[in-house]
Amino acid sequence: MDNLIKENTAKPLQPDQVSAFESSLKSNDTEEKIDIWFYRPIGYQIALFCAKIGMTPNTVTIISIFFGVAAGILFYSQDLWVNVIGMLSLVFANSLDSADGQLARLTNNKSRLGRILDGAAGDFWFISIHIAICLRSMNEGWTALIWIPGVLAGASHVVQSAMADYYRNVHLFFIKGTSGSELDNSRDLQREYNQLTWKNDFGMKLVARFYLNYTKQQEFFSPKLQKLLGLVREKYRNGLPQNLITDFRAQNRPLMKYTNIVQFNTRVLFLFLWLFLDQAWVYFFFDIFILNPILIYMCVNQEKVSGYFYKKISTGTEYGVKNI
């Protein structure tokens, strides 16, 4: 379980500024334009500062949780100026969320615990936001029934974010390999979980249980993709052949825009709009009736791509084993 808790303490890399910024990004294929133009440059500067003072990525993630939760609390108010402060707080939280990953890549300071914290941070933000909007709506005259769409939208958000994150890491796995991806599987996680005991490792076992369930959820919604990953790991143990990388990237890259739509930027832009219009409750229905169909479309098409490559690899000779 060392790879769950270990944080590498390597010093920051020292390339020139442009290449250093590029090295802090995951991949242009998976980066959204708003992120590249706004959040990543801000996150990069925060990452450089944190590296200078010796702050770890996990610390940055934890700080982001406080700003994100504070944003939700501020959205409870019907005063627009208070909401605007909440918007700025949420934007800063997301900048920190960008910075933690950039800091981890710049300093080669990666850990699975960091990945778990990073995913949980967004959940904490939106739990706070959903609770605040429900309470605010009740103050505006809604009955307690508003909690039904609030909870449904929250559950939808969890699945949307989980699958978008998973598909991004699958894409990175195919174009960069294990070193450029954070792709995990439940089989390996189960073995690590079984090695822990509730008596001696209560905290870590609880975290491991949460992450195992999270990964099983991702795998449940992508059965054809699981078959493809199993075949790829069995057949290409020494690395993927270049023609497979090229073909997969060409077919899968168009789907990356949908992973961006169901994640932070699109939902927050509309959330801010409805806060300005003093109709925050609309956000729940946007999540349920707009983002969920996009999620379904994304999953269905990802499965089609996976089925296509599974059939091609298992029945053909076009993608031979990579030469050692």
Side-chain angles (χ1 to χ4, degrees), residues 196-214:
L196 299 172
T197 65
W198 288 110
K199 181 178 180 180
N200 298 323
D201 312 289
F202 180 84
M204 293 312 305
K205 194 170 179 73
L206 185 63
V207 171
R209 180 75 257 179
F210 167 81
Y211 189 58
L212 177 59
N213 290 343
Y214 175 81

Side-chain angles (χ1 to χ4, degrees), residues 211-222:
Y211 189 58
L212 177 59
N213 290 343
Y214 175 81
T215 304
K216 284 184 175 180
Q217 171 188 278
Q218 293 171 321
E219 294 174 350
F220 175 79
F221 286 105
S222 55

